Amino acid sequence: MTSSYGPWGIVLGGSDGVGVAFAHGMAARGINVVLVARRVPVLEQAAALIRLKYGVEVRTVSLDLSTPDALAELERRTADLEIGLLVYNAGADTSSVAFLDRDIDGHLDLVRRNCSGPLEAAHRFGAPMVARGRGSVVLVTSGAAWAGGATLATYGATKAFDLILAEALWAEWRDSGVDVLGLVLGRTDTPSHRRQAEAKGDAYDTAGLADPYRVAEEALDHLADGPTWISGSPDPTAGSPFAAMKRRDAVLAMSRGAATAAGKKADGRH
């Protein structure tokens, strides 16, 4: 993998869950890793384990990706490295609530992490990859991108942005030696998922949840099979599961699914 992509990879949102699983998978393949997240103790703990287990170099960068200068700062702090693999995994929504039940700053922070962030990261770190003729970019998106849904307004919209961005970059860079993959996640056993359940007072049940390490391994094995990879699907390169539906029906189905996932009953109103 280092010969195909380069000696260093960056994982944004790399302190736990799918992000740290990607870091382990990259390190197991001989790639040195830059872990980016906000929480310094969790970052350092993850980095220490990866160094011990795989013997690779690990650099930690504590950043709040919702701030305007975060990606410029990350570029400055990794300017001495050849980054060949970029995984943008930040931007989970740990409080799925109705649109007006979240303040505007919360919505805008999510947009900055999930839209401005991956766009800027892809531009800053993708340009050198294209110039070198090798590299890979993974934008982690979600099944929430397939259609609008109640309590998923901003989150689903940002993940749709990530999906379209990944597909477009794949189309532009496919002949340049740079692989781009939009990784569509379903419900996955992550700390953010656990925190969401705890905040609502729900019992946490891992039944039906994907294992983050299997998700990361699957993606790393299929970096060249873009533009889109639907994790855990029997047909991972297929289109939207709602493709045969009218948009209205798809939105209602997504809303029912969101309500069920939240442990509530959808009322079925149109």
Side-chain angles (χ1 to χ4, degrees):
M1 185 168 278
T2 55
S3 62
S4 296
Y5 298 116
W8 281 87
I10 290 182
V11 183
L12 295 102
S15 59
D16 59 23
V18 174
V20 81
F22 262 107
H24 277 262
M26 291 156 63
R29 290 162 170 79
I31 294 181
N32 304 307
V33 184
V34 180
L35 295 177
V36 184
R38 286 180 293 182
R39 296 172 295 162
V40 174
V42 182
L43 268 178
E44 294 300 341
Q45 184 180 22
L49 179 58
I50 292 169
R51 291 188 192 103
L52 179 65
K53 189 170 183 179
Y54 306 103
V56 300
E57 294 183 63
V58 184
R59 184 176 296 185
T60 60
V61 180
S62 175
L63 288 174
D64 181 351
L65 294 172
S66 67
T67 59
D69 60 348
L71 273 300
E73 176 66 9
L74 178 60
E75 184 180 41
R76 185 187 69 79
R77 291 169 67 174
T78 58
D80 58 321
L81 307 179
E82 181 185 329
I83 305 299
L85 177 53
L86 169 73
V87 177
Y88 197 102
N89 177 63
D93 184 4
T94 58
S95 56
S96 178
V97 296
F99 182 73
L100 294 178
D101 289 344
R102 172 178 287 161
D103 63 43
I104 189 62
D105 289 338
H107 287 294
L108 292 175
D109 282 350
L110 198 56
V111 169
R112 282 188 284 267
R113 285 196 304 272
N114 282 2
C115 296
S116 303
L119 186 153
E120 188 175 352
H123 197 281
R124 289 183 181 276
F125 294 100
M129 294 181 194
V130 172
R132 288 192 298 265
R134 68 174 186 172
S136 181
V137 173
V138 179
L139 301 185
V140 179
T141 179
S142 163
W146 297 131
T151 74
L152 295 171
T154 303
Y155 179 70
T158 63
K159 288 303 180 180
F161 179 95
D162 295 343
L163 180 64
I164 297 302
L165 177 62
E167 291 177 339
L169 293 179
W170 175 86
E172 290 192 19
W173 296 348
R174 58 182 300 199
D175 296 325
S176 70
V178 177
D179 296 325
V180 181
L181 190 71
L183 177 63
V184 183
L185 297 189
R187 297 179 67 235
T188 305
D189 182 14
T190 63
S192 62
H193 202 120
R194 290 175 183 267
R195 287 192 292 270
Q196 186 178 24
E198 289 169 2
K200 294 178 178 179
D202 297 337
Y204 190 74
D205 185 0
T206 59
L209 300 183
D211 175 77
Y213 285 84
R214 293 188 66 178
V215 168
E217 286 297 308
E218 183 183 11
L220 289 169
D221 286 342
H222 293 280
L223 293 176
D225 295 326
T228 308
W229 190 268
I230 307 171
S231 179
S233 169
D235 188 2
T237 60
S240 165
F242 298 131
M245 292 184 180
K246 293 181 178 179
R247 291 297 298 178
R248 186 176 189 229
D249 293 337
V251 170
L252 292 172
M254 181 67 81
S255 299
R256 287 192 293 271
T260 300
K264 300 175 182 178
K265 293 182 180 180
D267 62 14
R269 289 179 299 176
H270 294 198

